[in-house]
Amino acid sequence: MKVEKLLHMAGGAGDSSYAANSKIQEKAILKITPILDKAVSEVHKTLLSEKMVVADLGCSSGPNTFLVLTQVMKIIAKQCRLLELQPPEMQFFLNDLPGNDFNNIFQSLDYFEESVKTEKGAICVPHFVAGLPGSFYKRLFPSQSVHFFHSSYSLMWISQVPEGLESKGEYVSPNKGNIYIGKTSPPLVVKLYQDQFNIDFSLFLKLRFKELVPSGQMVLAFLGRKKKNIYNGELSSLWGLVSESLHSMVLEGIVEEEKLDSFNLPFYAPSMEEAKAVINAQGLFDIIHMQIFESNWDPYDDSDDDFVIDNVQSGANFAMCIRSVLEPIIASHFGASIVDELFTRFAMNVARHLVKEKTKLPVLILCLKKKQ
């Protein structure tokens, strides 16, 4: 799987697009607002630069894309009023892989500018917005040129499917029948995924360290794992339900078994301890803040209850969210013709699962400051 070419959310603005199904991701962005406020305020107050560069890594497209930009400008405008300073010129970079729907972003720029102007207490911060295609597992900026990085719901995507998992010729994948770490995955599969995450997250930290100005900061939010038992992790349950859906289609001859056995997600949900261990091993950043919050699978369920009121509707809602994330990869590997049937089955599997357990998505939040 050529991850850089194939990994992107479903584009456009249709019913199954990411733009129409990214409410779960919106919740994460809103959740980090107090952390974002503190980090951006500190960077600005410390540096008092006439120009400030902010980059959103893994921006995707849709309404969430400009949410962080708006929040950052509000923070800067508020602080400048309090300190009686002229606001700096803001350069925003929106980064994602080349397959991202950047056209949707560019077409939404006028709407964004109008919304900023018409908002109560207009945000009078001079700003410029640019798209930046490319993998954040590579250098993206000149040395010491960025003041602040933000990334939400992106770092759980690793740079490649771990080597040794793909079936080739007579070689059968040790992860046969699974698309991620499942209950039948041997310890080797777990190690391969963990090693790939460690390599990628270490590289991410090294690259951002080079690109950040002294005292620059990052706020990162990404899916992780709350349970210690990786086989019983929340994301293992989620991807296990997708595997079950594909397996049922194999049994009916709709999907070739070899296709399923050769498909593994370039994804890893670390525990907070795993993420912290990589940060400490690199020694490049101070951890300013770290926390985990949980989000219901159903984006329209804001309750703290341990039960689901309408499991069928919740299953359908969550299936649309996951479809908007997986459809491009699924269509590329299995063919577009199976997509509707796959997510119909997945919705039913989710509905059955939610009757037994209201599983939630753990989101790791980290605020890191570049060491001097």
Side-chain angles (χ1 to χ4, degrees):
M1 183 187 293
K2 296 180 180 179
V3 173
E4 284 192 34
K5 293 185 178 181
L6 299 178
L7 181 59
H8 58 87
M9 307 298 102
D15 291 343
S16 61
S17 68
Y18 180 81
N21 295 282
S22 52
K23 190 171 178 61
I24 289 178
Q25 292 83 348
E26 178 190 14
K27 288 181 179 180
I29 294 173
L30 295 175
K31 185 72 176 180
I32 67 171
T33 298
I35 303 160
L36 191 72
D37 191 330
K38 188 174 180 180
V40 172
S41 296
E42 184 179 329
V43 170
H44 175 246
K45 192 173 182 179
T46 301
L47 301 175
L48 290 177
S49 175
E50 293 181 357
K51 298 178 182 178
M52 191 168 177
V53 177
V54 175
D56 189 11
L57 306 178
C59 66
S60 193
S61 60
N64 292 343
T65 306
F66 297 104
L67 188 54
V68 173
L69 273 63
T70 303
Q71 288 179 334
V72 169
M73 285 197 291
K74 284 181 178 178
I75 294 164
I76 295 297
K78 179 182 177 182
Q79 187 166 59
C80 287
R81 285 195 295 269
L82 290 173
L83 299 176
E84 298 183 346
L85 296 172
Q86 281 291 106
E89 291 186 329
M90 305 287 299
Q91 174 68 70
F92 292 103
F93 285 99
L94 300 174
N95 159 259
D96 214 314
L97 293 173
N100 183 54
D101 191 354
F102 283 100
N103 282 338
N104 179 284
I105 295 175
F106 300 146
Q107 290 165 4
S108 303
L109 269 174
D110 287 343
Y111 176 78
F112 164 69
E113 296 295 349
E114 286 301 316
S115 68
V116 170
K117 289 178 184 176
T118 57
E119 190 167 337
K120 186 178 179 181
I123 305 171
C124 301
V125 177
H127 58 277
F128 308 89
V129 181
L132 180 65
S135 170
F136 51 54
Y137 294 122
K138 296 179 180 178
R139 279 291 298 272
L140 294 169
F141 298 94
S143 297
Q144 299 190 17
S145 63
V146 180
H147 297 81
F148 182 78
F149 281 113
H150 166 267
S151 182
S152 184
Y153 267 75
S154 297
L155 277 165
M156 63 277 185
W157 295 106
I158 50 182
S159 66
Q160 64 179 57
V161 173
E163 291 185 10
L165 289 186
E166 294 182 340
S167 296
K168 294 180 180 178
E170 295 182 359
Y171 175 76
V172 179
S173 170
N175 207 29
K176 180 178 171 64
N178 298 300
I179 66 172
Y180 181 59
I181 299 168
K183 292 180 180 179
T184 60
S185 300
L188 170 63
V189 171
V190 176
K191 186 178 186 305
L192 290 174
Y193 267 109
Q194 289 175 329
D195 288 350
Q196 189 62 53
F197 170 77
N198 290 339
I199 290 169
D200 287 340
F201 193 39
S202 296
L203 178 59
F204 176 88
L205 295 173
K206 290 176 183 176
L207 297 174
R208 304 296 82 82
F209 179 83
K210 290 179 180 177
E211 295 166 347
L212 276 171
V213 300
S215 299
Q217 295 194 32
M218 301 193 292
V219 171
L220 313 173
F222 52 99
L223 290 176
R225 191 177 77 254
K226 193 173 182 182
K227 296 180 179 179
K228 289 187 177 181
N229 183 351
I230 195 166
Y231 289 100
N232 196 30
E234 299 84 352
L235 273 299
S236 292
S237 297
L238 163 57
W239 300 134
L241 294 174
V242 178
S243 295
E244 286 179 26
S245 306
L246 285 165
H247 186 64
S248 68
M249 297 173 76
V250 169
L251 294 177
E252 295 178 28
I254 302 171
V255 169
E256 296 177 15
E257 186 174 12
E258 292 78 9
K259 283 284 187 181
L260 175 55
D261 292 341
S262 63
F263 183 72
N264 291 278
L265 288 174
F267 180 100
Y268 183 71
S271 65
M272 184 64 86
E273 290 72 22
E274 287 176 305
K276 186 178 178 182
V278 175
I279 296 167
N280 289 338
Q282 291 302 311
L284 302 174
F285 291 89
D286 289 318
I287 299 175
I288 305 300
H289 180 88
M290 55 191 298
Q291 74 178 80
I292 298 177
F293 86 93
E294 294 181 291
S295 181
N296 293 325
W297 280 10
D298 183 349
Y300 301 100
D301 179 2
D302 295 322
S303 72
D304 293 325
D305 300 331
D306 291 328
F307 61 89
V308 175
I309 296 175
D310 186 342
N311 65 306
V312 174
Q313 186 59 56
S314 289
N317 292 342
F318 189 53
M320 288 297 285
C321 294
I322 298 304
R323 175 172 179 164
S324 72
V325 171
L326 285 190
E327 182 170 352
I329 298 179
I330 293 289
S332 174
H333 188 82
F334 296 97
S337 61
I338 76 155
V339 171
D340 288 342
E341 178 63 23
L342 171 61
F343 288 101
T344 297
R345 295 180 186 225
F346 175 65
M348 292 188 289
N349 284 341
V350 171
R352 284 193 288 269
H353 174 83
L354 291 175
V355 172
K356 297 180 291 183
E357 178 187 358
K358 188 178 180 179
T359 312
K360 300 185 179 183
L361 296 170
V363 182
L364 311 188
I365 300 174
L366 294 164
C367 180
L368 308 178
K369 182 177 181 179
K370 180 178 177 176
K371 287 187 176 182
Q372 298 298 322

